[in-house]
Amino acid sequence: QVQLEESGGGLVQAGGSLRLSCAASGRTFSSYGMGWFRQAPGKEREFVASINRSGGYTYYADSVKGRFTISRHNAKNTVYLQMNSLKPEDTAVYYCAAGSQFGADAKYDYWGQGTQVTVSS
């Protein structure tokens, strides 16, 4: 069992930056692939980024490629999402997730409660 808690969301102007963190409980964090997803009002949840267990491989949605960076620190049981050059269309609740694989189509077994990111124009 893994419990996930996101933090770092907030209100930022377009062009600004935020760094989201996701802290995981348990001793097996390094055995999970991790992902970030987001859901805007009235829209379906969408994949944002993912990272494999060691942190050596990452994968991004086209909409965030070149602007967002996912990373992890296994000793701290934490995964991060650095978001730069934010746009109003990035406004959403951001969720982190853990699973046995990684990638946009992987099955994620554990989810956090989400953190709100709002980008003003």
Side-chain angles (χ1 to χ4, degrees):
Q1 187 93 13
V2 176
Q3 292 185 329
L4 304 172
E5 183 173 3
E6 304 93 339
S7 62
L11 174 64
V12 64
Q13 289 187 332
S17 299
L18 282 175
R19 188 176 81 154
L20 305 184
S21 299
C22 174
S25 66
R27 301 179 181 179
T28 60
F29 175 73
S30 60
S31 66
Y32 291 97
M34 300 297 296
W36 284 98
F37 291 77
R38 67 187 182 187
Q39 187 167 19
K43 294 187 177 181
E44 294 187 352
R45 185 175 62 197
E46 65 174 357
F47 169 79
V48 175
S50 66
I51 190 167
N52 75 329
R53 300 171 187 179
S54 67
Y57 292 93
T58 58
Y59 186 68
Y60 297 92
D62 287 342
S63 59
V64 306
K65 201 172 294 182
R67 300 188 298 123
F68 291 10
T69 302
I70 187 172
S71 62
R72 67 189 297 163
H73 195 308
N74 285 344
K76 294 183 178 180
N77 283 11
T78 303
V79 62
Y80 305 97
L81 185 68
Q82 178 66 44
M83 306 186 294
N84 298 330
S85 301
L86 282 161
K87 305 174 181 180
E89 51 263 44
D90 295 318
T91 295
V93 177
Y94 283 71
Y95 301 89
C96 71
S100 59
Q101 302 294 329
F102 79 108
D105 299 323
K107 179 181 181 295
Y108 292 88
D109 301 305
Y110 304 101
W111 294 82
Q113 294 299 307
T115 186
Q116 176 70 47
V117 171
T118 303
V119 184
S120 63
S121 56

